Amino acid sequence: MNAVANTTGATYRAWSKLPNNTIGSTVFSIGMCLRVPYFASVLPRVVALESGRCEVTAPKWFGIRNHLGTFHAIAACNLAEVAMGMLAEATVPTSHRWIPKSMNVQYLTKATTSLRAVAQLDEIPDFESVTDGLELVVPVSIRDTAGIEVVHADITIWVSAASR
């Protein structure tokens, strides 16, 4: 892997400095929600983070329930965006920047439990070759506590070279 791809930003460095346990992930997740307050609406907890992969959990609580008593569809979208955003922070080197461009969501079945979102790239792009910009699709699978995929999101982010 080249030097550019190994350059990590402050978000991933913070994750790496914390203990690899429930306390560390909780402290990280609180800090994330302070930086991006809307994420807090789903009470997310980042449980795994590395280049190309992020796993986030969210409890089923009264603040995310819809009129059916299930996990609200837009709350699930918020959870998908948390997973994608943290993956991007851990994957896109500091020589580049990223921004969400679009989200395609499939609501597969009712979400009646707490949820786990996993954003994972099959292949990490060669960011050193990205000069004019790149559309990168980040797939996010959201599963219930039984392991059933209840929501699938493909979030396209625009990655471009950072201003110097």
Side-chain angles (χ1 to χ4, degrees):
M1 192 172 274
N2 60 42
V4 174
N6 287 328
T7 311
T8 59
T11 302
Y12 188 65
R13 283 195 313 270
W15 171 263
S16 300
K17 289 179 183 176
L18 290 166
N20 185 16
N21 59 27
T22 302
I23 294 170
S25 69
T26 301
V27 168
F28 177 84
S29 299
I30 290 169
M32 173 190 68
C33 289
L34 290 172
R35 182 149 168 97
V36 188
Y38 184 70
F39 284 173
S41 67
V42 294
L43 304 177
R45 186 165 71 86
V46 177
V47 296
L49 181 61
E50 61 190 70
S51 184
R53 186 174 188 283
C54 180
E55 187 173 338
V56 184
T57 61
K60 182 182 173 198
W61 68 287
F62 75 90
I64 54 81
R65 286 188 301 221
N66 61 20
H67 64 290
L68 301 173
T70 62
F71 214 101
H72 193 283
I74 299 305
C77 287
N78 192 10
L79 180 61
E81 191 169 1
V82 172
M84 172 281 302
M86 292 301 100
L87 173 144
E89 286 291 304
T91 306
V92 176
T94 56
S95 59
H96 289 71
R97 60 183 174 209
W98 64 272
I99 188 165
K101 188 172 181 180
S102 67
M103 179 187 280
N104 182 9
V105 182
Q106 297 172 325
Y107 305 107
L108 304 172
T109 189
K110 286 191 264 185
T112 59
T113 69
S114 298
L115 299 179
R116 178 175 302 269
V118 176
Q120 186 162 336
L121 295 174
D122 290 333
E123 186 177 321
I124 297 173
D126 174 14
F127 291 105
E128 196 168 69
S129 67
V130 176
T131 54
D132 293 333
L134 166 75
E135 283 190 358
L136 179 61
V137 177
V138 179
V140 183
S141 176
I142 301 177
R143 296 180 181 274
D144 64 14
T145 57
I148 297 167
E149 188 173 27
V150 295
V151 175
H152 183 87
D154 288 315
I155 304 173
T156 302
I157 62 174
W158 177 251
V159 180
S160 59
S163 300
R164 306 249 181 236

